[in-house]
Structures are given as C-alpha cells and as structure tokens.
Amino acid sequence: ELLAPAPLNVFVRSGLAPAATLKALGVRRLSAAGGIAMSALALTKKLATEFLASGDSAIFAPHVQGVTYPGLNAMFKRD
C-alpha cells in the first residue's frame, strides 16, 4: 500500500524560491525560523552604528512608523 507523501515544511533563508513556487512544489508550511530575529538584530546594529557615528536621531524615523510606546508596552504586558 502506498503512503501519501507527508507535508513538507521549509525554513526560509536567503535565495529560497518564492512562496508561490514552493507551494506548487508541495511545501505546506514556511517557517521564518530565526530570520525575523536576525533581521531585527542586523537593523539594530546598523542603526546603532549610524547613530553613534552621526548623532542624528532622524535615522530612526523610517523604522518606527506605527510603533508607539503604549503599543510596545502592550506587547510585553502579562495578563
């Protein structure tokens, strides 16, 4: 008796085919794995380096759109 193929899960990484292509190939789930955290840390390092070199806080503006201090606090609120 033939077994149906198991769903294929893929960790996203640089150079990976687009999601639509992977779906057509049978991928059922894409996982960002550490990609989101690594991207956030890379941006943090870049912004800190630029801010320390220039002292210009305007470099942060494009990256904080829609984020407020109350919104940040709500993300870490314990119920």
Side-chain angles (χ1 to χ4, degrees):
E1 174 178 334
L2 293 176
L3 296 175
L8 179 61
N9 301 320
V10 174
F11 286 121
V12 175
R13 64 175 181 80
S14 180
L16 192 64
T21 301
L22 295 171
K23 183 177 181 179
L25 293 171
V27 172
R28 299 286 179 233
R29 186 180 80 173
L30 288 176
S31 173
I36 293 172
M38 290 169 64
S39 296
L41 290 170
L43 180 59
T44 299
K45 180 180 177 183
K46 178 182 183 291
L47 291 173
T49 300
E50 290 179 18
F51 177 65
L52 290 173
S54 71
D56 185 2
S57 62
I59 62 169
F60 302 121
H63 306 285
V64 296
Q65 296 174 3
V67 179
T68 63
Y69 283 108
L72 285 173
N73 287 331
M75 283 193 270
F76 295 99
K77 182 180 176 185
R78 292 184 184 185
D79 293 326

